[in-house]
Amino acid sequence: MDTAAQTEDFEQERPRLVGLAARILGDHAEAEDIVQQARLRLHGTDTDIESLPAWLTTVTTRLCLDRLKSRTPLPHSEIEPEEAAPDIADDIVPADTVGVALRAVIERLTPGERVAFVLHDSFGFDFATIAAILDTTPAAARKLASRARGKVRTRSLRGSAADGLAPQGAGTHDWEIVDAFMAAAREGDFDSLLSLLAPDAAITADAAAIATGTPERIDGRQQIAEFFNGSAHSALAVLVDERPAAAWFLKGEAKVLFDFTLEDGLVQGITFRADPELLARVARRTDTRRG
């Protein structure tokens, strides 16, 4: 490709590249600088480029990654690949709608988390492509994005609670925390489950619930997340005595209530209850996490 044609093609890609870099870096002037560096790399390469948009995207993103690493005082730790969990990008706050409060959280993500989150959730890149850019595996790239979502989701829920916008009769946005937890359980989003649980969280159960087969007790965030991960598909959003909760239904009838105890925007405890008198007071409500 001759220089004039290459320059023309680059200029067509420039707005997209600036938008990409600005989303990752959070600074338009820095993004312009990064894209100019990508332009210099293009003019200085003798590589046979099969797809100019893909090549420029990779170079621009890696330049952004280098810039983020130079800003970050903490080392970027490697993440061990794990079995990929279902992606839930449509079920949480998209990266391109993050407000000022959440941008502070994004600033504290590791460079890898930030790049994976923005590329996937804002620009729809698949994890194979993100993995190639980050020089890792697709499973590890998915893990990075999932971990970032968990951090963003937790800050979003806590920020909502601070706004004092609770419905009549409920704690401050407590229903949002309950529904986010149950959505993460359904979708198998282990990191988000962990992010919503207090470190010393515990599950308990009344005698009637134990009789139906629920665990009597589970202690600790890790153990509770493992128990709920990928489960609770038959649980629906409910209110009981004006508290937001969830309940397992069978043939349209509530059989076990998941009664949440929330503190400081986190799940401190869940009590399984199956007392008939309590179940009689269970009422369905709109689930904020289901379409």
Side-chain angles (χ1 to χ4, degrees), residues 236-256:
L236 301 175
V238 300
L239 283 173
V240 59
D241 299 335
E242 302 297 320
R243 298 192 308 278
W248 172 58
F249 278 75
L250 180 64
K251 297 181 179 180
E253 185 177 352
K255 294 297 184 180
V256 177

Side-chain angles (χ1 to χ4, degrees), residues 126-149:
D126 60 55
F127 287 113
T129 300
I130 296 170
I133 291 172
L134 293 176
D135 193 24
T136 187
T137 66
R142 183 187 292 273
K143 186 75 170 178
L144 285 165
S146 179
R147 185 169 294 179
R149 290 189 204 107

Side-chain angles (χ1 to χ4, degrees), residues 99-124:
V100 173
L102 292 188
R103 288 194 185 282
V105 178
I106 291 179
E107 289 289 340
R108 292 195 293 271
L109 299 177
T110 68
E113 288 171 347
R114 190 164 173 171
V115 167
F117 176 60
V118 170
L119 288 183
H120 185 272
D121 289 19
S122 281
F123 293 93

Side-chain angles (χ1 to χ4, degrees), residues 31 71 93 103 130 132 173 198 204 243 246:
R71 292 181 189 171
V93 181
R103 288 194 185 282
I130 296 170
H173 271 14
T204 55
R243 298 192 308 278

Side-chain angles (χ1 to χ4, degrees), residues 204-217:
T204 55
D206 65 16
I210 294 170
T212 68
T214 69
E216 182 175 354
R217 187 176 184 90

Side-chain angles (χ1 to χ4, degrees), residues 174-176 178-179 182 236-240 243-246 260 283-288:
D174 285 355
W175 84 94
E176 225 177 350
V178 170
D179 293 349
M182 298 307 296
L236 301 175
V238 300
L239 283 173
V240 59
R243 298 192 308 278
F260 285 75
R284 291 283 305 277
R285 64 178 173 85
T286 300
D287 190 333
T288 61

Side-chain angles (χ1 to χ4, degrees), residues 219-244:
D219 289 300
R221 175 167 55 187
Q222 181 81 17
Q223 290 73 18
I224 294 172
E226 289 173 356
F227 175 79
F228 272 97
N229 193 34
S231 66
H233 293 281
S234 297
L236 301 175
V238 300
L239 283 173
V240 59
D241 299 335
E242 302 297 320
R243 298 192 308 278

